[in-house]
Amino acid sequence: MTDLATQRPDGLGEAAANIAQGLQRSALAPIWLVCGAICIDVPVFATAMWFAQYAALPNALFSPEMAALAALFAAVVSSVTLAASSSYDPWVLRSPLRFALRTFLACVLPIGVITMTLPSETANAFLVAVIVSLTAVTVPTRFGGTAVARWMIDNRLFDRRAVVAGGGEHAMHLMRGLARRPGSNIRIYGIFDDRDDARSPCQVLGIPKIGGYDELITFVRLSEIDMVIISLPLHAETRIDWLLEAFKVLPVEIRLSAYSQNYTFAQADRDPLISALRRSFSPECRLTKRIFDIVFALAVLALSFPIIAIAALAIRLESKGPVFFRQKRHGYNDRVITVLKFRSMYDDQADPEARRVVTRDDVRVTRVGRFLRRSSIDELPQLFNVLRGDLSLVGPRPHAVDAVSSQQERFTRIVDGYSARHRLPPGITGWAQVNGWRGEVDDPAKLEKRVEYDLNYIENWSLWLDLKILLRTPISLFKTDSAY
């Protein structure tokens, strides 16, 4: 993540900036606890079940290898069952007895499958052995897991960080409602409201008001916040609709207080929040996409290494200057990242701030650079950005900071809500690119189409869609009419 001091825009108050500075790292999502628990349980269960099949049976019916395969299968099935039934949820882990009971129930199916493969005279011996061995490993791991989970919960590592849009009496009712909810893990860090202190006090139940609605968007851009809660007076439906439209550019979850008129779908004493806009990049999505990126980026990097080496040599031989070109671009949640490319222009005419759009037959582009740009080979160094976590393999293309069209018009002025395309990490290739929308923006309609495809991708993201785009990318590279 980039340093806050380099991104702090004018207008963000000192209090908001200080709080944002303390929220530079994201909270621990429960999905990471699930992954850690599976990594522990699979080898533990597999060892116990291997012992029950091979070491404890009198005649060792299975070879060590076959017993190990069967044990690994049973361990994976048991762990996946626990994950699917939310048995690794932090609040389930608080009770060792409940956690142990769920563990034994999850092991019933795989143990039953193994038992059916055994002769009847040894099935009872196997059942006794597997119960003893599983008990021996389950009791200490369940009590140990409970102790770890309680420590994490007590230290609020799983809290969902939130800010409130709208203060005063309604914010007070909201906070009290959240406090009354059993197991509530929502922690509010600040209030944003455009009203003066007479209508919206400078603090509510100890939570400070740290800015207005415009500052809220900036604050979320610069910090790791999970949720924005809108809490406004009964007569403010027009303002609520306006805020929902403004907050669509944010990748966080947007919730409504149940105390707003025409939004009272939940009883305030049971659930004071109503879901309004789902989070576009949840921790589960982030983990899945990150694993996909690392695996495929390493594979593509290995396959393309000869091409990268030849391109680097060609650039070095043709003109003076560095092989690589670095440029500041918009990343996830509008944060600034440094993107790596092969240098395609003469070094003394490079344009790191993208103030002048590259056009057809641009004299600044070298002969090698023209080929690299047409074939998109100049983008291959961005695989290192993917491994570093700045980029994804697939996503909206990262445009330069303050990018402009051929008519020197800023992209943010051409398309309303342009930054909504930053709700997912940018990618080397994307849905817009494989559908032909790449290259120079010499017509506002071209940028509008790109953003339309980018938003469609964000709303319908899946691993299958990423894989589809990756497979279509090589074919799309043959369409070079607008790439120069």
Side-chain angles (χ1 to χ4, degrees), residues 119-445:
S120 57
E121 60 271 16
T122 59
N124 290 336
F126 167 73
L127 286 176
V128 172
V130 78
I131 290 174
V132 170
S133 60
L134 278 177
T135 301
V137 299
T138 296
V139 172
T141 57
R142 301 308 94 165
F143 276 89
T146 295
V148 171
R150 285 177 175 173
W151 179 84
M152 289 181 168
I153 293 172
D154 292 342
N155 284 276
R156 313 198 70 162
L157 299 184
F158 295 111
D159 281 358
R160 287 186 292 169
R161 299 167 175 175
V163 292
V164 175
E169 181 181 2
H170 296 84
M172 180 180 65
H173 286 304
L174 169 67
M175 294 175 189
R176 286 177 174 167
L178 290 173
R180 286 196 296 265
R181 290 186 67 187
S184 176
N185 65 333
I186 297 175
R187 186 176 182 183
I188 298 174
Y189 281 85
I191 298 170
F192 292 84
D193 200 332
D194 283 346
R195 294 174 295 177
D196 57 32
D197 291 348
R199 301 173 60 197
S200 175
C202 59
Q203 69 172 17
V204 176
L205 298 181
I207 305 299
K209 182 173 68 173
I210 55 178
Y213 298 135
D214 289 337
E215 287 85 356
L216 187 152
I217 294 179
T218 303
F219 180 87
V220 175
R221 296 286 195 209
L222 299 178
S223 61
E224 288 289 345
I225 288 292
D226 301 303
M227 183 187 306
V228 174
I229 306 171
I230 299 176
S231 178
L232 291 175
L234 299 177
H235 58 271
E237 283 75 26
T238 301
R239 178 55 64 91
I240 291 174
D241 291 336
W242 177 81
L243 287 176
L244 287 176
E245 184 65 27
F247 293 162
K248 282 183 178 180
V249 301
L250 298 175
V252 301
E253 185 179 7
I254 309 298
R255 304 292 293 268
L256 296 176
S257 166
Y259 299 98
S260 296
Q261 189 176 2
N262 295 333
Y263 295 103
T264 54
F265 302 112
Q267 296 182 16
D269 59 343
R270 293 173 53 192
D271 188 355
L273 298 179
I274 302 166
S275 181
L277 299 174
R278 67 182 180 87
R279 188 173 186 176
S280 56
F281 198 40
S282 66
E284 293 78 12
C285 165
R286 183 177 298 192
L287 175 62
T288 305
K289 194 169 178 60
R290 184 69 183 134
I291 294 174
F292 179 91
D293 285 340
I294 292 174
V295 171
F296 279 87
L298 288 173
V300 174
L301 194 59
L303 293 173
S304 61
F305 184 76
I307 299 175
I308 292 175
I310 293 172
L313 180 61
I315 294 170
R316 176 66 71 184
L317 292 176
E318 184 187 28
S319 62
K320 296 180 179 180
V323 170
F324 298 111
F325 172 73
R326 292 172 173 82
Q327 188 176 63
K328 300 291 185 181
R329 298 194 178 189
H330 283 299
Y332 169 64
N333 202 11
D334 245 11
R335 293 162 186 165
V336 176
I337 60 174
T338 301
V339 170
L340 195 65
K341 298 181 64 175
F342 277 129
R343 180 173 59 83
S344 59
M345 296 183 181
Y346 293 102
D347 185 43
D348 59 348
Q349 300 183 55
D351 185 14
E353 296 182 1
R355 293 182 176 177
R356 179 181 167 190
V357 177
V358 178
T359 58
R360 189 182 298 275
D361 300 324
D362 198 313
V363 295
R364 297 174 298 165
V365 180
T366 65
R367 289 177 299 172
V368 171
R370 187 164 288 110
F371 172 77
L372 296 179
R373 295 176 71 93
R374 284 184 176 274
S375 60
S376 291
I377 292 176
D378 65 322
E379 310 282 358
L380 285 179
Q382 292 175 23
L383 290 169
F384 296 105
N385 285 108
V386 174
L387 295 177
R388 194 169 61 183
D390 295 332
L391 294 181
S392 177
L393 279 177
V394 181
R397 285 293 297 146
H399 293 158
V401 177
D402 296 329
V404 295
S405 67
S406 299
Q407 286 74 38
Q408 297 298 304
E409 187 175 7
R410 293 181 61 177
F411 285 0
T412 51
R413 293 185 178 274
I414 296 175
V415 179
D416 289 334
Y418 166 81
S419 62
R421 63 190 299 276
H422 301 143
R423 287 181 291 154
L424 280 185
I428 296 178
T429 184
W431 188 231
Q433 281 65 43
V434 299
N435 282 282
W437 300 104
R438 56 192 286 250
E440 180 186 5
V441 177
D442 53 4
D443 183 348

